[in-house]
Amino acid sequence: MAIPAALTVLAVLAVGGAVAVARLAHSDGEQAAAADVTPSAPVASGSLPESGAAPSPGASQGLGARPTTSGSATPSATKPSAATALTGFPAAGNTGVPDGVRLSAYSGPCTITRANTVIDKRQVRCSLLIKAKNVVIKSSQVDGTIRLEGASHSVRIEDSVIDGGQAYAPTVGFENVTVLRSEIRGGQHNVNCYRNCLVQDSWLHGQYLPDGGDWHLNAFLSNGGSDIQLVHNTLACDRPTNAAGGGCTANASIFGDFGPNTNYTIRNNLFVASEEMSYCFYGGYEEHKKYGTQVSGIVVTGNVFQRGRNGKCGAYGPATSWARSAPGNVWQDNVWSDGKTLPPD
């Protein structure tokens, strides 16, 4: 599906530029004492009604049951059907800090440099910069962003709430990141990844847009990347457009701004409808982008797209920028929320 020229300029190029600025401008946060970080061995890696909008940020509507076992990070191969299209997706009731967990104040460092650090059952009130391998954040709430860059560093976030607030930056990014059963909200984008990321069983929503800002928002964004998995998430870009022209581009966007895109698995996700965004999904191919034709191995299977009030998921349709002929690209078993097959064109 082709992208109109005007849409390309407004919804695509602006996103890439905004992300570049966010990477450079992100603050490392305040340094603090190391009392609440615990070196440890690394941990082995609901239902949503049909609607034209996502649940409100931070809502506690009990939309789904928390899984009784966390299991492995290995993605499930379950194929959605009409009967399951509106049930079992991540939302307030089955993501974030588990019920009954009491959080203690975190007084550790906001820049993590010690390998195998574990932050468990903590209320963290600063943005975290990860400069170590095998960092684990679990059953915690972070009021700030989490940033990781560096091939030897890694972080695993599980059963947590990460709230990027008003940051002109992704709430979580950029590489070697695992997110499981977590609520990721706030920030310009909920998750931005360019290498080696798994986001599974999580709820991405509630981006921030200032009244006078022309920011372009996404639940998930990659401006060039590889080895990225989005598996069984609820993806919602749910911020209304403002008078300055800012607003949502898509629930999940793959763009060839900074590098080629290859080896993506996008499976069993719910794409929440909104007429406030252009499309629900951008698939990576755009010949006017520097790397926009270097696309391969984008596998999109078993996803559910809400129709919304206009029956299109987004303002113009469910998906665009999809290259049928790209090597390794697969579009299979994707359906509308009424169970009808959704073709790639």
Side-chain angles (χ1 to χ4, degrees), residues 131-154:
K131 292 187 172 182
K133 64 180 179 180
N134 299 329
V135 174
V136 176
I137 300 168
K138 61 181 181 179
S139 299
S140 295
Q141 176 155 340
V142 177
D143 293 327
T145 62
I146 295 177
R147 177 162 64 104
L148 186 151
E149 290 187 272
S152 63
H153 305 151
S154 60

Side-chain angles (χ1 to χ4, degrees), residues 178-266:
T178 297
V179 178
L180 303 175
R181 301 177 305 279
S182 293
E183 180 184 355
I184 313 297
R185 67 193 188 210
Q188 182 188 8
H189 316 288
N190 300 131
V191 176
N192 183 337
C193 178
Y194 54 78
R195 182 170 54 244
N196 191 29
C197 294
L198 167 65
V199 182
Q200 183 171 341
D201 297 326
S202 295
W203 182 23
L204 281 57
H205 73 115
Q207 303 78 23
Y208 175 72
L209 178 65
D211 289 341
D214 61 353
W215 302 7
H216 289 256
L217 317 176
N218 298 270
F220 172 83
L221 172 67
S222 179
N223 294 97
S226 62
D227 303 314
I228 293 169
Q229 300 181 73
L230 301 178
V231 181
H232 193 247
N233 304 290
T234 296
L235 305 173
C237 195
D238 50 13
R239 185 61 59 189
T241 302
N242 66 12
C248 287
T249 300
N251 295 324
S253 293
I254 303 171
F255 296 131
D257 292 299
F258 308 138
N261 285 291
T262 184
N263 295 335
Y264 285 70
T265 297
I266 301 171

Side-chain angles (χ1 to χ4, degrees), residues 262-344:
T262 184
N263 295 335
Y264 285 70
T265 297
I266 301 171
R267 185 170 71 236
N268 295 0
N269 300 285
L270 175 64
F271 287 78
V272 176
S274 173
E275 296 175 45
E276 298 288 333
M277 61 188 166
S278 303
Y279 291 89
C280 284
F281 174 60
Y282 279 80
Y285 185 87
E286 172 50 62
E287 57 188 12
H288 300 294
K289 308 291 283 186
K290 183 175 181 179
Y291 301 95
T293 60
Q294 298 182 39
V295 176
S296 63
I298 311 251
V299 178
V300 184
T301 59
N303 298 284
V304 176
F305 289 75
Q306 281 190 327
R307 286 193 179 274
R309 288 182 291 266
N310 68 356
K312 298 179 181 180
C313 195
Y316 303 111
T320 189
S321 306
W322 174 256
R324 286 177 176 267
S325 59
N329 272 20
V330 175
W331 181 283
Q332 184 176 327
D333 297 329
N334 299 297
V335 297
W336 288 107
S337 47
D338 59 11
K340 293 183 180 178
T341 299
L342 176 63

Side-chain angles (χ1 to χ4, degrees), residues 10-258:
L10 294 176
V12 179
L13 295 178
V15 171
V19 173
V21 171
R23 289 185 184 178
L24 294 174
H26 193 289
S27 171
D28 291 349
E30 177 185 3
Q31 296 296 311
D36 288 336
V37 292
T38 307
S40 174
V43 179
S45 239
S47 64
L48 188 64
E50 176 64 17
S51 171
S56 59
S60 300
Q61 295 127 323
L63 301 176
R66 179 173 293 275
T68 55
T69 58
S70 60
S72 166
T74 302
S76 166
T78 303
K79 173 182 173 182
S81 65
T84 61
L86 298 177
T87 61
F89 286 101
N94 56 3
T95 62
V97 179
D99 292 343
V101 171
R102 300 189 64 176
L103 302 180
S104 300
Y106 175 76
S107 59
C110 298
T111 297
I112 308 298
T113 58
R114 190 168 184 175
N116 302 323
T117 291
V118 176
I119 298 175
D120 185 18
K121 300 180 183 66
R122 290 292 186 264
Q123 177 81 53
V124 180
R125 299 191 183 278
C126 65
S127 291
L128 297 176
L129 175 62
I130 309 299
K131 292 187 172 182
K133 64 180 179 180
N134 299 329
V135 174
V136 176
I137 300 168
K138 61 181 181 179
S139 299
S140 295
Q141 176 155 340
V142 177
D143 293 327
T145 62
I146 295 177
R147 177 162 64 104
L148 186 151
E149 290 187 272
S152 63
H153 305 151
S154 60
V155 64
R156 176 187 174 101
I157 302 164
E158 57 183 50
D159 301 304
S160 294
V161 175
I162 315 299
D163 190 339
Q166 300 182 7
Y168 186 26
T171 296
V172 176
F174 291 95
E175 61 180 326
N176 303 326
V177 171
T178 297
V179 178
L180 303 175
R181 301 177 305 279
S182 293
E183 180 184 355
I184 313 297
R185 67 193 188 210
Q188 182 188 8
H189 316 288
N190 300 131
V191 176
N192 183 337
C193 178
Y194 54 78
R195 182 170 54 244
N196 191 29
C197 294
L198 167 65
V199 182
Q200 183 171 341
D201 297 326
S202 295
W203 182 23
L204 281 57
H205 73 115
Q207 303 78 23
Y208 175 72
L209 178 65
D211 289 341
D214 61 353
W215 302 7
H216 289 256
L217 317 176
N218 298 270
F220 172 83
L221 172 67
S222 179
N223 294 97
S226 62
D227 303 314
I228 293 169
Q229 300 181 73
L230 301 178
V231 181
H232 193 247
N233 304 290
T234 296
L235 305 173
C237 195
D238 50 13
R239 185 61 59 189
T241 302
N242 66 12
C248 287
T249 300
N251 295 324
S253 293
I254 303 171
F255 296 131
D257 292 299
F258 308 138

